[in-house]
């Protein structure tokens, strides 16, 4: 039992202890409580390697497209030459504007608390078009020159390689300026159609069909906000300049007239096309930074240029149950290149915007991918089928001159059918995991297979020129019809590599590429795809979604009755789809 004295002395000891006047009681008397030190919260850093997607709009800074024509010779004896050349001269406003979708990759280095430096490269499927028409009726000594001119230009794809210098306004918001190299594929198209009345001269239109890969420069500014450790969103403005283009003979095929009876060349005009490719871009983007590229920075936002991630070789998955993915998808096709029909070269520069806005019927696509996997083995099948129809006329014109009725009409119809079927088998070569993030796994596969390609083209062109005057007693009618069909199909062997990086279970980035043909089917072909996949469930159903960008290049030729049919083009565009997992 405790005596009153001992109890009193213990309370006194405790009071003195809490007051700080004496040493605490021994461990035998009181329990000891010790709080663990609180770790400082991690400081956000912009340093890291990232990939992402962007969507935006571009508009032109220089609208004019000009055409100038010069009469080379006129043997008609009717003095049509000056009127013909003047009718094929003028300027139109061709606003080069439209929407685009693409991807980017880059690296940021935050070398002080507020300052960030980095570089970024991007590419967009642009398909941006602009154009206009000129129409005129000009008097000549013996009649009139009725002219219709169509001028257009395009930016088929666009990309940049830029440096970035940023300032951290807050730890998670960066304002930056940027500039560097710009590149893109540009097109120029023109058609001059004329009737000389009254006469029996048959016109061959002056035509320009041009494509070139150009390099220029770009500058801009933007802002980027961190949504999480890995994810950020940006809004960016760029000004680009790919320079000017001036095209004349032989790029611009001359406008010529032949005598209907003798077939002799009677009149010819040479033309020159001039424009500039520059403009403004406003786009929004989403970036994902890889965990292994983000260094640990407790207490400071200053970081080294590159982190040193520690990887470990992981075991390949052992054979078990088969898993199956079936994903219907939409591939928004853009085409850049050329086609050959019976030795005639045609430009193949169309975009998904053309397919929707200019097609005479809604594009019909059927696309899907099936992938079966078990352990390190996998098998896949992929199918694409789409059909587009285009039609239109260039000019319908009636003369304001009394008693003289003039008309110049042309119309064309094009039906294009495109199908691709692929099948192959793959095997996982190696797998790595990140020591600091074991759920982050990178694997490399090799695969081999075959690709079937079908391309069908049906082209019909109708042209009509007419003049009628009862007072002059003159009447003339010129009509021409062109029909051309081509069917091309072949099978290419292919070999490829695939890299898959899993950020977490159900979230992965995939990059794959293959080459094929080798003269066995086509001369040569290649394909590249990069995209993001996400697994999720809805109402108990296992689903998978994908978004990415795909490009397929084909170089094929075939001789039929001494004439060449072929294709040398790149089919590319964004891919999006949702399917099921089993």
């Amino acid at each position: 039992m405790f005596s009153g004295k001992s109890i009193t002395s213990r309370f006194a000891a405790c009071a003195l202890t809490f007051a700080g006047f004496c040493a605490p009681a021994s461990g035998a008397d009181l329990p000891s409580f010790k709080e663990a030190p609180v770790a400082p919260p991690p400081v956000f850093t912009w340093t890291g390697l990232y990939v992402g997607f962007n969507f935006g709009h571009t508009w032109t800074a220089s609208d004019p497209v000009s055409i100038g024509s010069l009469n080379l010779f006129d043997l008609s004896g009717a003095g049509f030459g000056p009127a013909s050349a003047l009718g094929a001269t003028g300027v139109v406003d061709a606003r080069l504007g439209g929407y685009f979708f693409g991807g980017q990759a880059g690296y940021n280095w935050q070398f002080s608390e507020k300052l960030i430096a980095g570089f970024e490269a991007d590419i967009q499927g642009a398909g941006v078009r602009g154009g206009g028409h000129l129409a005129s009726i000009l008097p000549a000594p013996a009649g009139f020159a009725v002219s219709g001119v169509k001028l257009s230009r395009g930016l088929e794809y666009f990309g940049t390689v830029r440096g970035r210098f940023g300032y951290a306004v807050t730890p998670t918001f960066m304002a930056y300026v940027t500039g560097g190299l710009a590149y893109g594929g540009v097109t120029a198209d023109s058609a001059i159609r004329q009737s000389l009345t009254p006469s029996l001269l048959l016109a061959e239109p002056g035509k320009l069909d041009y494509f070139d890969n150009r390099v220029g420069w770009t500058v801009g500014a933007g802002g980027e906000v961190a949504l999480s450790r890995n994810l950020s969103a940006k809004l960016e403005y760029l000004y680009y300049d790919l320079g000017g283009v001036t095209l004349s003979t032989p790029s611009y095929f001359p406008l010529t007239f032949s005598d209907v009876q003798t077939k002799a060349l009677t009149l010819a005009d040479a033309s020159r096309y001039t424009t500039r490719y520059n403009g403004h871009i406003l786009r929004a983007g989403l970036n994902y930074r890889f965990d292994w590229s983000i260094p640990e920075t407790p207490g400071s936002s200053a970081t080294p240029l590159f982190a040193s991630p520690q990887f470990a070789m992981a075991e390949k998955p052992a054979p078990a149950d088969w898993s199956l993915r079936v994903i219907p998808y939409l591939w928004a096709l853009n085409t850049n290149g050329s086609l050959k029909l019976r030795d005639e070269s045609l430009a193949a520069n169309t975009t998904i915007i053309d397919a929707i806005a200019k097609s005479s019927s809604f594009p019909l696509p059927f696309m899907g991918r099936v992938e079966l996997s078990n352990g390190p083995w996998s098998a896949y099948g992929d199918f694409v089928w789409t059909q587009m129809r285009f039609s239109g006329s260039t000019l319908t014109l009636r003369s304001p001159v009394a008693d003289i009725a003039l008309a110049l009409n042309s119309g064309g119809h094009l039906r294009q059918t495109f199908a691709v079927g692929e099948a192959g088998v793959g095997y996982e070569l190696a797998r790595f995991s990140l020591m600091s993030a074991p759920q982050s796994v990178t694997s490399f596969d090799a695969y081999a297979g075959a690709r079937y390609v079908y391309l069908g083209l049906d082209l019909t062109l109708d042209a009509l020129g007419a003049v009628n005057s009862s007072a002059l007693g003159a009447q003339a009618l010129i009509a021409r019809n062109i029909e051309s069909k081509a069917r091309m199909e072949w099978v290419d062997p292919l070999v490829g590599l695939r890299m898959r990086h899993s950020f977490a279970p159900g979230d992965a980035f995939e990059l794959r590429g293959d080459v094929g043909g080798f003269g066995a089917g086509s001369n040569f072909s290649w394909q590249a795809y990069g995209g993001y996949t996400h697994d999720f469930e809805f109402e108990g159903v296992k689903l998978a979604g994908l978004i990415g960008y795909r490009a397929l290049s084909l170089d094929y030729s075939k001789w039929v009755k001494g004439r060449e049919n072929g294709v040398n083009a790149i089919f590319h565009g964004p891919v999006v789809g949702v399917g099921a997992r089993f």
Side-chain angles (χ1 to χ4, degrees):
M1 295 184 64
F2 297 106
S3 64
K5 182 178 178 181
S6 65
I7 293 175
T8 301
S9 63
R10 285 178 179 268
F11 273 107
C14 288
L16 290 171
T17 300
F18 283 108
F21 296 115
C22 67
S26 66
D29 296 325
L30 292 173
S32 175
F33 296 96
K34 188 183 235 182
E35 293 186 1
V38 178
V43 176
F44 179 81
T45 176
W46 285 99
T47 296
L49 179 69
Y50 62 87
V51 296
F53 300 97
N54 68 74
F55 176 81
H57 182 264
T58 179
W59 64 100
T60 186
S62 178
D63 294 340
V65 175
S66 64
I67 180 74
S69 297
L70 174 68
N71 181 240
L72 299 179
F73 61 87
D74 179 7
L75 304 179
S76 66
F80 282 115
S84 174
L86 187 58
T89 299
V91 178
V92 302
D93 284 341
R95 300 182 183 277
L96 196 59
Y99 294 91
F100 57 80
F101 179 88
Q104 67 270 351
Y107 186 87
N108 288 325
W109 173 39
Q110 188 163 354
F111 57 89
S112 76
E113 185 178 355
K114 293 290 187 180
L115 301 179
I116 303 103
F119 60 87
E120 183 175 283
D122 60 76
I123 186 169
Q124 287 73 224
V128 177
R129 299 292 178 83
H133 293 82
L134 296 170
S136 65
I137 301 176
L138 298 175
F144 295 88
V146 184
S147 306
V149 182
K150 181 181 178 181
L151 302 174
S152 62
R153 57 179 178 166
L155 181 64
E156 302 301 330
Y157 73 91
F158 177 79
T160 68
V161 179
R162 296 170 287 110
R164 301 203 308 172
F165 187 79
Y167 180 83
V169 181
T170 70
T172 57
F173 176 73
M174 169 179 57
Y176 62 87
V177 293
T178 182
L181 177 144
Y183 62 94
V186 302
T187 63
D189 299 279
S190 178
I192 305 171
R193 291 179 171 86
Q194 249 181 26
S195 288
L196 304 177
T197 61
S199 73
L200 293 177
L201 296 179
L202 178 64
E204 288 290 343
K207 291 184 177 181
L208 170 68
D209 190 352
Y210 171 83
F211 175 82
D212 189 26
N213 296 294
R214 297 186 65 83
V215 176
W217 56 272
T218 181
V219 294
E224 189 165 354
V225 59
L227 306 177
S228 67
R229 168 182 164 88
N230 302 92
L231 201 63
S232 62
K234 71 173 184 177
L235 183 65
E236 184 175 71
Y237 163 81
L238 294 175
Y239 174 83
Y240 72 90
D241 192 334
L242 298 179
V245 168
T246 299
L247 301 168
S248 56
T249 307
S251 299
Y252 207 129
F253 192 78
L255 173 67
T256 59
F257 292 82
S258 299
D259 188 281
V260 175
Q261 297 175 340
T262 65
K263 308 298 182 183
L265 187 63
T266 301
L267 186 150
D269 296 336
S271 300
R272 174 175 292 183
Y273 175 108
T274 304
T275 191
R276 189 171 191 84
Y277 297 88
N278 59 350
H280 310 276
I281 292 174
L282 184 65
R283 61 185 178 184
L286 197 64
N287 289 327
Y288 182 92
R289 288 188 305 150
F290 295 101
D291 276 314
W292 53 264
S293 69
I294 305 174
E296 299 297 332
T297 57
S300 172
S301 61
T303 56
L305 180 58
F306 283 100
S308 299
Q310 299 295 318
F311 291 101
M313 183 74 74
E315 291 186 5
K316 288 182 286 190
D321 294 332
W322 289 92
S323 63
L324 175 66
R325 289 171 180 258
V326 180
I327 304 182
Y329 63 85
L330 176 64
W331 185 13
L333 275 173
N334 305 271
T335 307
N336 296 110
S338 62
L339 303 172
K340 267 204 171 179
L341 279 74
R342 299 182 180 181
D343 285 338
E344 294 290 336
S345 294
L346 302 173
N349 296 306
T350 60
T351 71
I352 186 61
I353 304 300
D354 294 331
I356 296 174
K358 301 179 182 179
S359 177
S360 57
S361 64
F362 191 81
L364 300 175
F366 298 96
M367 306 168 184
R369 185 176 179 87
V370 177
E371 188 158 343
L372 190 65
S373 60
N374 187 346
W377 291 97
S378 63
Y380 76 94
D382 198 296
F383 181 73
V384 172
W385 184 91
T386 183
Q387 186 176 92
M388 293 178 288
R389 298 171 183 262
F390 300 92
S391 65
S393 61
T394 58
L395 175 66
T396 300
L397 183 66
R398 194 155 295 276
S399 171
V401 180
D403 188 49
I404 300 180
L406 305 172
L408 180 65
N409 299 277
S410 66
H413 302 271
L414 171 65
R415 183 178 67 186
Q416 177 178 306
T417 304
F418 181 61
V420 179
E422 294 183 18
V425 177
Y427 183 79
E428 186 173 301
L429 302 175
R431 172 176 292 222
F432 303 90
S433 63
L434 187 63
M435 299 288 287
S436 59
Q439 77 280 6
S440 183
V441 177
T442 303
S443 59
F444 295 89
D445 304 344
Y447 63 93
R451 176 165 46 238
Y452 166 80
V453 180
Y454 172 86
L455 184 62
L457 298 168
D458 293 301
L459 174 65
T460 302
L461 180 65
D462 300 291
L464 175 66
V467 59
N468 182 40
S469 173
S470 57
L472 298 176
Q475 183 176 8
L477 179 67
I478 302 172
R480 190 176 184 187
N481 176 267
I482 300 173
E483 292 188 4
S484 183
K485 295 183 179 180
R487 301 288 184 272
M488 294 173 277
E489 58 182 330
W490 68 92
V491 177
D492 280 344
L494 63 90
V495 292
L497 292 173
R498 177 172 68 167
M499 183 275 287
R500 290 173 295 166
H501 177 77
S502 176
F503 311 118
D507 289 284
F509 175 77
E510 179 178 329
L511 184 65
R512 66 175 183 265
D514 61 65
V515 293
F518 313 115
S522 67
N523 301 320
F524 185 71
S525 66
W526 61 262
Q527 181 173 224
Y529 169 81
Y532 168 78
T533 59
H534 175 69
D535 295 343
F536 61 101
E537 290 192 15
F538 180 76
E539 299 290 341
V541 179
K542 295 181 178 180
L543 300 172
L546 67 85
I547 182 171
Y549 203 90
R550 180 180 180 184
L552 172 63
S553 175
L554 302 173
D555 181 4
Y556 172 81
S557 59
K558 179 182 179 180
W559 292 85
V560 179
K561 297 181 179 180
R563 294 183 176 182
E564 184 181 8
N565 292 333
V567 57
N568 187 358
I570 299 176
F571 302 85
H572 63 98
V575 175
V576 61
V578 176
R581 297 179 288 125
F582 302 96

